[in-house]
Amino acid sequence: SVEGDAIKVYVRVRPPSEGTALPDGDQGLCLSVLSTNTIRLHSKPEPKIFTFDYVANMETTQESVFSSVAKNIVESCMNGYNGTIFAYGQTGSGKTFTMMGPSDSDNFTHSLRGVIPRSFEYLFFLIEHEKEKAGSGKSFLCKCSFIEIYNEQIFDLLDSASAGLFLREHIKKGVFVDGAVEQVLSSAAEAYQVVLTTGWRNRRVASTSMNRESSRSHAVFTITVESMEKHNEIVNIRSSLLNLVDLAGSERQKDTHTEGLRLKEAGNINRSLSCLGQVITALVDVGNGKQRHICYRDSKLTFLLRDSLGGNAKTCIIANVHPGSRCFGETLSTLNFAQRAKLIKNKAIVNEDTQGNVS
Amino acid sequence: MAAAGDGWAAAREKFRSARALSAVESRKDPATEPFRSKYAARALLEEVKQLLSGAEEGGDAVRRAVLEYELGVNHADTEELSAGEEHLLRCTRLLEPQRLSRRCVALYIQAQVGAGRGPRRRGGPRRGHASPLLVSPQNNLGILWSERDEIKTAQTYLESAEALYHQYMKEDGNPPLDPSEHFMEEDEQLTDQERSKRFEKAYTHTLYYLAQVYQHLEMIEKAAQYCHTTLKRQLEFSGYYPVEWALNAATLSQYYLSKQCFMEARHCLAAANVIFSQAGQVPSAEDNEAEQDQQDLRQRKAEIARCWIKYCLNLLQSARKLLEDNIGELDLDRQLELKAQRKKEEDEKENGRKKAVLFVTSDICDSVLAMEEKVSCAYPLDFQEAREIFLVGQNYVHEAKEFFQVDGYVTDHIEIVQDHSALFKVLAFFEEDYERRCKMHKRRVDMLEPLYADLNPQYYLLISRQLQFELADTYYEMMDLKVAIGNRLEELDSHTIKKINLLAQLAIKYYELFLDSLRNPDKVFPEELEEDVLRPAMVAKFHIARLYGKLITSDGKKQLENMQTSLEYYTFLVDYCEKYPDAVRAVETELELSKEMVGLLPTRMERLRAKLCAFI
């Protein structure tokens, strides 16, 4: 079906934080939500209208965000498909709130809990349901890993002692982080309490001890769901991944395609121009359909999530925006990014040439 | 005078501290106060400015300009662009009258570049640089017009800096004073050699920024030219990491490939190999790290090998394009014509173009030339020439595969094998013997099939599809060759018939696998095809239709069935294009033929049916 292929884009507008909006209403806001899928940005001279799959206004509840964004993805994960949910936006736009819930709460039952804990609940609810339906013939194994990408380096949040892990590919299992701890999960509460709170705490700890801000790192939480079904003597194993990604604040991502017409600074006059490669790469990119190889790789994040970005997976991006007019620039760039994300599709460039075959 | 002398000493001291704060200390500033040292440096610079304006005799225009320059850079670094711009403009205004003098030219150029330059990126050095960045004050330049998306303005400043450099080198040419020297004692002054080095490097940066400006303005050719010149200057003034330089040159070769400039591409690659070999062993304190560096080095080497593979592949493919006739076979007349033409060109020896793009101004000249001699950059015109290029390509395939093994590097590994297969495919074009040509295609099958069998489409859907299609096409081609071989025989023997049918069925199998991969989770084929799979899907359908038409059987009923299936696939194309007229563009030839077949087949089937009935 057409709907399964393109990336779904969901925009959520957080309530203005204190001091950004004037108490008496619209003033100080740079956007308004027109309907459940359009948003108007008060740009000058002409206001700009953006259309997305959904637009959540400030009143939208966590529950409603979950059901329109994640429910479907968790379900297809149970059916053997990979799913990914990204949260994108500038620091302070509500990414972590949307994904995790209120930051001061480790409480799994908090009414404001976010997409991640709700996804656990729902996943294990579905697993229980399946088990009941199938009886003893079917069993499940859930494992999870939690990693952080900071400054193009990969850290394992479940093993604070480790550092500098590497991405590798397996012909059957796809991309994986070599050496990352995988923890077996038996319930949603366990997933949340044991793993996520520890992992999240590690992330925060890391942000002080090594002088990095959490908003400068991407956190990728991955659940592997393996189901085993026995029909007589035949064993059928199916496995799928659910990735939950809290991206670094978009204002930090100046290295990626979000960057506009800026010039890159020379690294160091004495040794090297570290960015020259990027300029050349851009030149080669423009080239026509000729066969070519570009020596500079994608970022770690896009490599890890290659399947999700235009692959064989269900993917959703939650673009979080802050409505304050001070955030106009970042909001515009977030909305532009989200707009572009909708165009990402599975590009099946098949090598075919029919010259000489039509006779 | 003594007081002024003291003031001067104090000014010098403060200036020195400011530079140290700005360049060294600021790297250690906490995230909560990222500009602490920069602000401290700014305060010092302001004090120096006070001191100088108090003491008239010490406050000559050039020193004031240096201060304005430093303040401009400082403001720009701390994200106060407008203030920074003002300082830089004041700096250039002060220098304007004597901008071509030895004392001023370097500073003036740097101010211009600073005014046109991109934003200073904060944050640590990028990964991949083993040693910490050396601090070089004059690199920490100015204001960022590009920050305000005004690339055109940046261009103006940078181009004027470029022009000034040329004018100065023409009119004077002596190593100019480095800006920092204006606050040094006589005995601390730099040597001419050091001056020249710094000046040339600042100019290299000007070119590097211009390369970016042109890239942003989509003046691609000009941007490439400036990238090339930047690389060249890095070599000349030995300001580069060998590995990084080699990767840049190898990547640049891929730009030239897309422009079909094979000589330039080869030159870049040869230079990349030579410079890369300078990288050698990376010494390191910890074993673990050393191993990592070695691994890194091996990967870079494999990356350069992959650029070479593309070079060989493109050269062969372009030659094929030149040589093939309208059904994709070698055009013998064209071949003779091109050979004659080449002979003529060789006699004339046009060397003018070649000189302009060479890197070899230094001692690597001979090595690069030796490297270049190993592979031609002229279009191969017959099998022998094609084979030589093929073999070079194949060697690089082996080299690249040494690092990019399937275990750990699935995507890269398969891409390399795909290139290998493509090399065989294009080599087969030059082969006149059909049996041997068929064997080359068999080699392709042998390398692709086992990879495909192992690959999990859940994670590698795209590659999986590519392999399905390529395998289908290869079998299709082999079948065609067997048919052609069979046609030369008096009579088709049963062995050949079996072979043809087997190959056709395998081709059908892989086309069907490809088409199945387009089905949705509920196994339903899409009503409307996505644009990116439209053509391949239609071609797959069309080829399946033809394949059913080619299957050989003596069983009349079976033959009728095959014709029926063939008709259904042809009909799919016709119906689809009727329903979605946009699709017509993608498959014009195929559609035309399908329409023809949809018209013809029913009559043929009718005749066959009548014949069958007559037998009963």
Side-chain angles (χ1 to χ4, degrees):
Chain A
S1 63
V2 177
E3 70 132 52
D5 293 340
I7 289 180
K8 284 249 198 306
V9 180
Y10 188 108
V11 174
R12 186 181 202 189
V13 182
R14 64 161 285 170
S17 43
E18 260 139 68
T20 38
L22 302 172
D24 58 330
D26 273 1
Q27 296 224 321
L29 298 189
C30 66
L31 54 82
S32 39
V33 176
L34 300 182
S35 73
T36 51
N37 56 16
T38 48
I39 196 166
R40 181 168 59 203
L41 194 65
H42 308 309
S43 49
K44 280 167 194 155
E46 293 278 296
K48 244 185 126 164
I49 309 270
F50 289 88
T51 307
F52 297 100
D53 293 296
Y54 316 88
V55 174
N57 61 22
M58 298 174 203
E59 279 83 47
T60 312
T61 61
Q62 296 281 65
E63 171 60 29
S64 136
V65 171
F66 169 74
S67 24
S68 32
V69 183
K71 219 168 168 179
N72 188 303
I73 290 180
V74 177
E75 279 162 14
S76 55
C77 189
M78 286 296 293
N79 293 325
Y81 286 83
N82 298 336
T84 301
I85 303 169
F86 287 101
Y88 181 87
Q90 77 175 111
T91 304
S93 62
K95 287 189 305 289
T96 306
F97 180 80
T98 299
M99 293 304 273
M100 286 291 288
S103 54
D104 52 352
S105 157
D106 290 346
N107 188 348
F108 182 44
T109 55
H110 197 290
S111 63
L112 288 179
R113 67 195 186 279
V115 166
I116 292 179
R118 282 170 206 268
S119 297
F120 293 163
E121 279 164 56
Y122 192 52
L123 184 68
F124 281 97
F125 166 78
L126 290 175
I127 287 175
E128 286 308 316
H129 185 72
E130 278 284 305
K131 273 198 205 153
E132 260 169 46
K133 223 171 57 184
S136 61
K138 200 165 185 180
S139 59
F140 286 88
L141 176 64
C142 282
K143 284 178 293 187
C144 71
S145 64
F146 196 14
I147 58 135
E148 180 184 40
I149 302 176
Y150 175 76
N151 217 5
E152 283 299 287
Q153 278 184 286
I154 301 175
F155 302 91
D156 191 343
L157 288 174
L158 299 185
D159 173 14
S160 48
S162 82
L165 299 178
F166 291 92
L167 284 175
R168 288 166 68 80
E169 287 179 301
H170 187 273
I171 198 158
K172 293 269 185 234
K173 290 182 279 192
V175 182
F176 66 101
V177 181
D178 203 3
V181 169
E182 280 195 306
Q183 198 148 330
V184 177
L185 302 173
S186 58
S187 72
E190 188 182 33
Y192 190 75
Q193 296 291 1
V194 180
V195 178
L196 227 108
T197 50
T198 355
W200 214 267
R201 238 181 254 133
N202 273 341
R203 194 183 181 197
R204 246 173 291 157
V205 169
S207 75
T208 53
S209 69
M210 289 181 65
N211 191 23
R212 38 179 157 125
E213 296 166 29
S214 67
S215 70
R216 290 188 186 197
S217 77
H218 311 291
V220 182
F221 186 84
T222 307
I223 302 188
T224 317
V225 184
E226 251 179 49
S227 70
M228 198 165 77
E229 207 167 357
K230 269 192 203 141
H231 278 302
N232 303 322
E233 289 309 299
I234 302 157
V235 182
N236 197 357
I237 295 177
R238 209 154 62 168
S239 113
S240 53
L241 298 181
L242 179 62
N243 295 307
L244 304 164
V245 187
D246 190 9
L247 292 175
S250 51
E251 73 280 8
R252 299 285 178 214
Q253 295 175 19
K254 299 205 161 143
D255 278 16
T256 63
H257 303 292
T258 56
E259 187 170 18
L261 284 175
R262 288 170 178 147
L263 304 189
K264 286 178 185 98
E265 196 208 1
N268 180 333
I269 198 161
N270 282 339
R271 298 295 295 272
S272 77
L273 301 171
S274 59
C275 295
L276 186 64
Q278 294 177 35
V279 181
I280 300 174
T281 302
L283 295 180
V284 185
D285 262 339
V286 175
N288 34 49
K290 287 260 182 308
Q291 293 257 2
R292 57 191 191 271
H293 176 71
I294 297 171
C295 292
Y296 296 87
R297 262 204 176 292
D298 287 346
S299 74
K300 291 273 191 322
L301 182 75
T302 51
F303 188 73
L304 179 63
L305 300 168
R306 187 148 61 184
D307 301 314
S308 314
L309 295 164
N312 191 15
K314 298 222 183 225
T315 301
C316 174
I317 291 178
I318 308 175
N320 288 278
V321 292
H322 193 293
S325 43
R326 269 186 222 165
C327 302
F328 176 82
E330 288 298 343
T331 297
L332 176 63
S333 98
T334 301
L335 293 178
N336 278 333
F337 171 86
Q339 199 96 74
R340 279 199 304 278
K342 278 172 56 160
L343 302 176
I344 301 173
K345 263 189 313 188
N346 183 6
K347 281 261 172 274
I349 307 144
V350 175
N351 300 317
E352 62 101 11
D353 74 318
T354 49
Q355 260 294 12
N357 291 337
V358 181
S359 50
Chain B
M1 193 63 209
D6 285 348
W8 167 233
R12 249 184 9 241
E13 198 38 55
K14 281 189 204 290
F15 184 83
R16 201 190 306 255
S17 318
R19 300 269 304 226
L21 271 171
S22 191
V24 183
E25 285 301 313
S26 69
R27 288 173 192 277
K28 300 177 213 149
D29 284 347
T32 46
E33 291 175 86
F35 300 136
R36 191 167 66 189
S37 307
K38 295 267 179 199
Y39 292 145
R42 188 193 295 180
L44 282 173
L45 290 169
E46 294 285 359
E47 282 174 36
V48 178
K49 209 171 144 185
Q50 284 295 324
L51 281 173
L52 288 195
S53 65
E56 267 318 308
E57 59 270 57
D60 75 276
V62 182
R63 283 203 187 115
R64 286 213 307 277
V66 172
L67 284 173
E68 293 296 349
Y69 170 76
E70 290 289 337
L71 281 165
V73 171
N74 184 289
H75 279 90
D77 282 349
T78 53
E79 294 166 8
E80 294 167 45
L81 298 183
S82 309
E85 184 196 347
E86 266 171 46
H87 284 294
L88 285 182
L89 285 178
R90 231 173 282 152
C91 166
T92 50
R93 229 173 301 147
L94 284 164
L95 292 174
E96 195 67 43
Q98 36 182 338
R99 65 180 194 281
L100 271 171
S101 76
R102 255 190 97 199
R103 295 186 64 211
C104 300
V105 67
L107 179 61
Y108 192 82
I109 284 180
Q110 289 188 21
Q112 294 281 85
V113 172
R117 189 203 67 164
R120 223 189 97 70
R121 202 209 317 273
R122 273 179 292 127
R126 295 174 64 80
R127 223 193 82 77
H129 292 257
S131 59
L133 293 173
L134 289 172
V135 179
S136 164
Q138 59 271 63
N139 186 28
N140 294 325
L141 303 175
I143 284 201
L144 342 156
W145 274 97
S146 69
E147 176 93 307
R148 304 167 172 165
D149 282 354
E150 296 206 34
I151 288 286
K152 286 272 183 197
T153 316
Q155 183 190 2
T156 316
Y157 280 114
L158 289 166
E159 282 178 349
S160 90
E162 186 190 17
L164 186 68
Y165 169 86
H166 286 300
Q167 200 186 347
Y168 176 80
M169 290 311 270
K170 206 171 126 205
E171 290 175 10
D172 189 322
N174 290 307
L177 257 60
D178 189 71
S180 61
E181 291 185 75
H182 297 294
F183 280 90
M184 283 179 186
E185 283 288 24
E186 205 90 358
D187 56 347
E188 296 172 313
Q189 307 267 304
L190 301 170
T191 61
D192 270 2
Q193 197 189 3
E194 179 63 23
R195 282 173 180 164
S196 163
K197 205 171 118 195
R198 292 191 184 188
F199 185 57
E200 293 299 343
K201 274 174 184 163
Y203 179 62
T204 304
H205 275 212
T206 312
L207 298 179
Y208 160 69
Y209 290 124
L210 274 167
Q212 293 185 65
V213 162
Y214 294 134
Q215 180 226 319
H216 284 308
L217 295 173
E218 284 170 35
M219 298 158 77
I220 299 303
E221 237 162 275
K222 208 148 184 204
Q225 186 197 320
Y226 275 78
C227 283
H228 196 121
T229 316
T230 306
L231 284 174
K232 189 174 162 183
R233 290 182 57 90
Q234 281 186 291
L235 268 194
E236 267 170 60
F237 301 100
S238 56
Y240 61 95
Y241 284 110
V243 175
E244 187 182 276
W245 194 94
L247 279 186
N248 284 339
T251 314
L252 187 61
S253 77
Q254 304 298 291
Y255 163 80
Y256 286 124
L257 281 191
S258 68
K259 297 279 172 208
Q260 311 240 58
C261 302
F262 291 104
M263 192 171 65
E264 287 83 350
R266 181 181 67 170
H267 184 67
C268 286
L269 284 167
N273 275 9
V274 171
I275 297 298
F276 184 86
S277 64
Q278 295 178 356
Q281 306 280 312
V282 182
S284 178
E286 275 176 74
D287 272 344
N288 209 357
E289 247 175 52
E291 198 197 316
Q292 190 46 51
D293 286 340
Q294 284 303 316
Q295 167 118 345
D296 240 39
L297 222 51
R298 281 201 302 275
Q299 174 164 352
R300 302 299 169 219
K301 188 162 178 250
E303 303 259 18
I304 295 172
R306 292 182 69 180
C307 289
W308 272 111
I309 298 170
K310 297 293 187 192
Y311 169 84
C312 296
L313 196 51
N314 274 288
L315 187 55
L316 285 165
Q317 284 171 339
S318 302
R320 174 188 170 157
K321 274 240 153 55
L322 281 180
L323 287 166
E324 72 189 353
D325 59 18
N326 55 5
I327 57 159
E329 288 292 321
L330 187 65
D331 185 333
L332 296 173
D333 293 340
R334 186 94 182 100
Q335 188 179 28
L336 283 175
E337 197 182 301
L338 285 170
K339 281 194 167 174
Q341 192 185 323
R342 185 202 296 177
K343 182 97 187 17
K344 207 170 134 224
E345 272 166 23
E346 266 168 17
D347 293 343
E348 283 170 13
K349 281 241 180 206
E350 43 164 9
N351 264 338
R353 193 169 64 118
K354 194 168 178 174
K355 284 278 183 290
V357 295
L358 293 184
F359 285 127
V360 285
T361 41
S362 52
D363 48 347
I364 61 161
C365 180
D366 290 343
S367 332
V368 172
L369 284 177
M371 198 70 223
E372 283 182 338
E373 268 165 26
K374 290 182 185 166
V375 56
S376 164
C377 67
Y379 293 122
L381 297 178
D382 56 31
F383 181 77
Q384 200 43 47
E385 290 173 359
R387 185 171 165 274
E388 276 167 28
I389 293 164
F390 167 86
L391 287 175
V392 172
Q394 185 167 255
N395 273 335
Y396 281 114
V397 165
H398 296 322
E399 186 177 317
K401 269 162 70 179
E402 265 171 45
F403 179 83
F404 290 113
Q405 294 175 6
V406 72
D407 181 22
Y409 298 93
V410 178
T411 310
D412 292 289
H413 181 84
I414 294 180
E415 278 168 8
I416 294 163
V417 176
Q418 283 175 315
D419 281 347
H420 197 184
S421 163
L423 280 169
F424 265 112
K425 182 177 177 173
V426 66
L427 179 67
F429 166 82
F430 291 91
E431 175 59 66
E432 284 165 45
D433 183 280
Y434 282 2
E435 284 292 352
R436 285 175 47 139
R437 201 192 283 189
C438 215
K439 284 196 181 105
M440 292 179 189
H441 289 305
K442 182 72 174 72
R443 291 283 301 272
R444 299 172 60 201
V445 166
D446 290 344
M447 61 178 84
L448 297 171
E449 219 161 32
L451 281 177
Y452 172 73
D454 277 345
L455 197 66
N456 182 349
Q458 193 181 358
Y459 297 101
Y460 300 101
L461 179 66
L462 172 58
I463 313 182
S464 174
R465 279 180 183 166
Q466 287 178 347
L467 292 180
Q468 285 159 349
F469 207 97
E470 198 170 340
L471 280 164
D473 257 2
T474 314
Y475 278 122
Y476 188 95
E477 221 155 317
M478 288 169 77
M479 184 226 42
D480 260 353
L481 285 167
K482 286 289 175 201
V483 171
I485 293 166
N487 284 345
R488 288 181 189 163
L489 303 171
E490 296 273 295
E491 201 179 333
L492 276 181
D493 58 291
S494 69
H495 175 74
T496 313
I497 291 175
K498 239 168 113 183
K499 196 88 208 180
I500 290 172
N501 282 345
L502 178 69
L503 291 169
Q505 266 148 2
L506 283 164
I508 291 172
K509 171 185 141 187
Y510 282 107
Y511 281 127
E512 291 287 9
L513 280 169
F514 170 73
L515 290 170
D516 283 344
S517 81
L518 303 177
R519 290 172 191 271
N520 74 0
D522 306 319
K523 308 280 174 235
V524 181
F525 197 76
E527 190 65 21
E528 187 176 358
L529 290 159
E530 296 276 340
E531 204 192 324
D532 42 7
V533 293
L534 174 69
R535 176 156 172 86
M538 296 297 248
V539 168
K541 292 267 186 192
F542 178 75
H543 280 186
I544 294 173
R546 287 198 65 229
L547 285 159
Y548 274 104
K550 295 256 176 185
L551 286 173
I552 303 164
T553 169
S554 53
D555 180 350
K557 238 179 104 192
K558 191 86 201 133
Q559 200 185 344
L560 202 58
E561 265 174 43
N562 288 342
M563 285 166 98
Q564 181 59 40
T565 315
S566 185
L567 179 62
E568 278 162 24
Y569 277 88
Y570 282 126
T571 312
F572 175 91
L573 245 78
V574 177
D575 288 352
Y576 188 91
C577 289
E578 217 157 89
K579 200 166 167 201
Y580 303 102
D582 281 353
V584 176
R585 249 179 314 123
V587 282
E588 252 167 285
T589 327
E590 288 82 3
L591 180 63
E592 205 179 297
L593 285 160
S594 298
K595 278 184 180 157
E596 209 174 290
M597 292 309 281
V598 169
L600 283 175
L601 270 175
T603 335
R604 272 192 216 164
M605 285 163 72
E606 213 36 65
R607 230 180 286 146
L608 182 62
R609 235 176 249 130
K611 214 164 96 188
L612 285 176
C613 283
F615 277 111
I616 298 165

